Amino acid sequence: MTMTDGLDISLLPPGGGVLCAVSGGADSVYLLCRLCELRESLGLRVWAAHYNHCLRGAESDRDEAFVRDLCAGLGVEAYSGRGDVAAFARENGLGTEDAARRLRYAFLEQTADALGADAIATAHTADDNAETLLLNLARGCGLRGLTGIPPQRGKLLRPMLDTTRAQAEAYLTAHAIPHVEDSTNAADAYARNRVRHHAVPALESVNPAFVQH
């Protein structure tokens, strides 16, 4: 494993093409900026992809426009997709989160195939990994569930699993790079948010390095 500031660059294909999933939030903006920094040294081709879930009205459109402008400033080609997640969830008997994930990943895979990208990079962090492990544990899981998020599955890469959310935000602050906030992240309507807002802080009160560990 070759690390640079918490980013596992050994997962990246030297001389290859990487499609970066960018929501506009701090984690994905960090990942895109770091990939752009590595373009020359690793000979990477970098593209960005944003999926508009059409769940938050004007805020969703704001995020899409933000990503488009960010990519223009970085010299990165940006590809956008959108879908009616609420309708897809109703028609298929799915929860909103599951429906959004299915549509988003289908778009990412289709875009990567069309571009001939060697990999799709997503900005899952050490925090996401810890939250996923706790969710799996709470719902009942075997040893596989306790391994958390895999760093690679086929073309899908997650090079930030050793990067904390705080590290990503500190990088953006230090370099005066903007990002957008998803207003739904502040609500406890979703199980992951409840784990993030309540379970993780409680465990960090026992061990401040809980997320890394």
Side-chain angles (χ1 to χ4, degrees):
M1 180 184 292
T2 304
M3 304 294 294
T4 173
D5 297 335
L7 195 72
D8 184 1
I9 64 173
S10 68
L11 292 173
L12 304 174
V18 179
L19 179 66
C20 182
V22 185
S23 67
D27 299 340
S28 64
V29 171
Y30 169 86
L31 178 58
L32 179 62
C33 290
R34 297 291 285 109
L35 289 176
C36 287
E37 289 177 1
L38 295 166
R39 279 184 291 195
E40 186 173 348
S41 61
L42 296 182
L44 293 177
R45 289 167 293 148
V46 178
W47 303 279
H50 175 84
Y51 192 76
N52 187 334
H53 300 97
C54 299
L55 288 170
R56 293 175 286 120
E59 187 176 285
S60 291
D61 295 337
R62 175 210 64 179
D63 293 355
E64 183 177 347
F66 171 82
V67 171
R68 186 168 55 246
D69 291 343
L70 173 71
C71 290
L74 292 170
V76 173
E77 291 182 44
Y79 297 84
S80 297
R82 62 171 54 208
D84 189 337
V85 171
F88 182 77
R90 287 194 303 271
E91 292 163 5
N92 293 277
L94 301 171
T96 302
E97 288 180 287
D98 188 20
R101 181 185 57 80
R102 293 190 189 198
L103 289 175
R104 181 172 64 255
Y105 277 100
F107 164 70
L108 290 172
E109 290 166 4
Q110 291 164 5
T111 305
D113 288 344
L115 291 169
D118 299 287
I120 301 167
T122 66
H124 290 87
T125 64
D127 299 75
D128 294 315
N129 205 14
E131 292 158 9
T132 296
L133 187 150
L134 291 173
L135 283 166
N136 290 346
L137 184 63
R139 290 165 174 163
C141 66
L143 292 177
R144 184 177 178 182
L146 290 176
T147 63
I149 301 172
Q152 181 171 6
R153 190 179 70 242
K155 278 189 175 184
L156 190 63
L157 310 179
R158 299 177 176 105
M160 286 177 58
L161 289 179
D162 286 309
T163 306
T164 66
R165 192 169 294 132
Q167 286 174 318
E169 292 172 349
Y171 171 93
L172 297 185
T173 298
H175 293 82
I177 299 170
H179 67 279
V180 292
E181 294 286 352
D182 181 339
S183 62
T184 63
N185 287 338
D188 280 348
Y190 299 109
R192 179 173 293 273
N193 285 0
R194 294 194 294 276
V195 167
R196 179 177 301 169
H197 298 157
H198 306 290
V200 171
L203 289 164
E204 286 178 329
S205 72
V206 176
N207 177 7
F210 164 73
V211 166
Q212 292 94 323
H213 290 170

